[in-house]
Amino acid sequence: MNNTKPPEFKTQFAEDVFKGLTSYPKKISSKFLYDEKGDELFQQIMDLPEYYLTGKEYQILKRHREELGDEFASLEGFDLIELGAGDGKKTKVLLSHFEEKNYDYKYLPVDISKNVLEQLKGSLQQEFPSVEVEPQQGTYAEVLSRLADYRERKKVILFLGSNIGNLTPEEAVNFLKKISSAMHEKDLFFMGVDQKKDPKVILDAYNDGAGVTEAFNKNLLTRMNRELDAEFDPEDFMHWPLYDPESGVAKSFLVSKKEQTVAINALDIKVHFQKWETIHTEVSQKYDDTSIAWLAKEAGLEISGCWADKDSCFKNHLFKRIK
Ligand code: AVI
């Protein structure tokens, strides 16, 4: 490194990269995996045979849409707020059921990306012309605090896809506390969580044969090249996922295959890597009934329903706020 004083950071990405690559061990938050290319690669990941999460959750929603619909409809008019809606493929299973039943509800997809929201709104207008859609652009925290004061109707908050797993358990508790404090009595929170299972199955989900997850992880390097004028050669790094069946944590790393020094010109730094040195890029925490019960309790939530696929690979829980 040749910096004397830290540069001014133009973006959150610049600041995070600076901090993460000048500390030891090196790390970059997984939220930066999702630029335009990363969104596209994640869409491909969801269709991979090894990445069972999306398919399992889809099956759960499809099979239990009737029961879930009854739970939501008991609120007699609700706002369906979805955190990280993406392309809405799974949610549409519920929306089509709600349409059939003529439920009184409004759909509020939340996403940081305006582009994602516009695309989703467009596809919903075509497929479900009668559904009222009110996209909410912003971070989850911003939108939740905005909605906390909103009391006109009951809220059903959706958080699907095991997105909670991309937080450490401590971060997850803090995040769920924010959700529970945005909830009023009777509001519901519905979350999909990947479960501990055969470690090989989990590891394969993050190490697919076609190399899409590798490309997704290495996209961080090309993103730094593009946005921060960095000089990474993705070939000089390997994608390395691992899974610890005791803690339930799956982690992904980029491992330097050689000793090298890489310039990140926009940050005015040169980052040195020893041979086999790592950049930690992602956490995908897996849970079981005990750890989910712990999460809920810590966050002030109680479990009021649970649905699983036949092998209990994936579970969707319904929570209420503890009074
Ligand atoms: C979005 N999130 C729940 C995915 C996961 O399983 O942690 C992201 C992902 N990373 C690699 N493959 C998929």
Side-chain angles (χ1 to χ4, degrees), residues 221-321:
L221 301 173
T222 37
R223 181 171 182 182
M224 286 190 276
N225 288 351
R226 196 178 51 251
E227 293 184 22
L228 302 175
D229 192 16
E231 296 177 12
F232 286 98
D233 181 349
E235 288 294 306
D236 289 338
F237 288 83
M238 42 198 288
H239 165 61
W240 193 261
L242 57 81
Y243 175 63
D244 170 11
E246 183 184 46
S247 62
V249 71
K251 287 184 180 180
S252 286
F253 297 91
L254 289 162
V255 183
S256 177
K257 292 199 255 182
K258 61 178 195 186
E259 181 171 10
Q260 55 181 319
T261 300
V262 182
I264 306 181
N265 297 306
L267 300 178
D268 199 21
I269 55 172
K270 286 191 166 62
V271 181
H272 184 75
F273 291 88
Q274 294 175 55
K275 194 173 183 181
W276 308 127
E277 194 175 340
T278 50
I279 309 175
H280 179 203
T281 53
E282 190 172 43
V283 163
S284 297
Q285 181 69 43
K286 310 303 169 193
Y287 287 91
D288 56 19
D289 290 348
T290 313
S291 46
I292 281 289
W294 170 81
L295 259 192
K297 188 164 169 276
E298 291 291 306
L301 295 166
E302 68 187 356
I303 300 172
S304 68
C306 174
W307 295 266
D309 61 292
K310 69 173 177 8
D311 306 314
S312 290
C313 245
F314 197 96
K315 288 189 180 175
N316 286 77
H317 290 89
L318 190 64
F319 302 89
K320 284 189 180 138
R321 211 182 91 166

Side-chain angles (χ1 to χ4, degrees), residues 5-256:
K5 73 176 174 52
E8 293 211 342
F9 301 113
K10 292 212 177 77
T11 59
Q12 193 58 48
F13 183 49
E15 181 168 356
D16 212 76
V17 167
F18 181 87
K19 290 187 178 148
L21 295 191
T22 57
S23 56
Y24 185 84
K26 294 177 171 60
K27 60 172 192 292
I28 299 178
S29 163
S30 65
K31 67 179 179 221
F32 297 111
L33 289 164
Y34 302 91
D35 62 353
E36 214 178 297
K37 179 76 188 159
D39 285 343
E40 198 184 300
L41 287 164
F42 183 55
Q43 285 294 328
Q44 291 177 31
I45 287 175
M46 289 192 286
D47 289 331
L48 290 169
E50 294 94 337
Y51 196 75
Y52 57 84
L53 289 78
T54 314
K56 294 287 181 197
E57 189 173 41
Y58 185 87
Q59 280 170 23
I60 295 170
L61 300 183
K62 192 153 185 159
R63 184 161 310 144
H64 301 287
R65 60 190 188 279
E66 190 87 39
E67 273 165 83
L68 286 167
D70 290 349
E71 294 275 357
F72 299 174
S74 69
L75 298 178
E76 291 167 357
F78 58 93
D79 284 340
L80 187 68
I81 301 159
E82 179 165 24
L83 306 176
D87 67 357
K89 193 172 160 196
K90 287 173 289 189
T91 318
K92 284 176 185 171
V93 172
L94 297 177
L95 302 190
S96 102
H97 178 69
F98 297 170
E99 185 167 71
E100 227 172 80
K101 296 272 176 168
N102 215 2
Y103 285 168
D104 170 21
Y105 77 105
K106 188 159 77 180
Y107 179 47
L108 294 87
V110 178
D111 211 289
I112 187 96
S113 155
K114 209 173 162 196
N115 190 25
V116 163
L117 288 173
E118 273 166 10
Q119 281 187 13
L120 178 61
K121 190 169 181 185
S123 78
L124 289 167
Q125 273 165 347
Q126 283 205 329
E127 291 172 57
F128 305 98
S130 61
V131 175
E132 201 180 330
V133 184
E134 217 173 84
Q136 303 285 318
Q137 198 207 342
T139 63
Y140 298 160
E142 279 162 14
V143 175
L144 281 172
S145 66
R146 210 150 74 209
L147 296 173
D149 299 330
Y150 177 84
R151 286 172 178 273
E152 267 169 53
R153 301 225 287 184
K154 308 280 183 323
K155 293 193 271 289
V156 177
I157 303 173
L158 296 187
F159 194 42
L160 304 179
S162 203
N163 285 330
I164 192 78
N166 296 130
L167 302 174
T168 64
E170 293 69 29
E171 289 168 345
V173 166
N174 289 330
F175 179 70
L176 294 184
K177 276 184 182 163
K178 286 199 186 106
I179 291 194
S180 89
S181 61
M183 288 166 71
H184 300 128
E185 212 194 318
K186 294 204 174 138
D187 285 351
L188 297 172
F189 173 52
F190 185 64
M191 178 167 74
V193 184
D194 195 19
Q195 303 292 300
K196 288 184 178 180
K197 60 180 67 64
D198 180 345
K200 179 83 175 82
V201 172
I202 292 180
L203 196 54
D204 286 351
Y206 295 93
N207 206 16
D208 65 279
V212 185
T213 312
E214 175 180 357
F216 178 66
N217 196 10
K218 286 190 176 181
N219 182 48
L220 267 179
L221 301 173
T222 37
R223 181 171 182 182
M224 286 190 276
N225 288 351
R226 196 178 51 251
E227 293 184 22
L228 302 175
D229 192 16
E231 296 177 12
F232 286 98
D233 181 349
E235 288 294 306
D236 289 338
F237 288 83
M238 42 198 288
H239 165 61
W240 193 261
L242 57 81
Y243 175 63
D244 170 11
E246 183 184 46
S247 62
V249 71
K251 287 184 180 180
S252 286
F253 297 91
L254 289 162
V255 183
S256 177

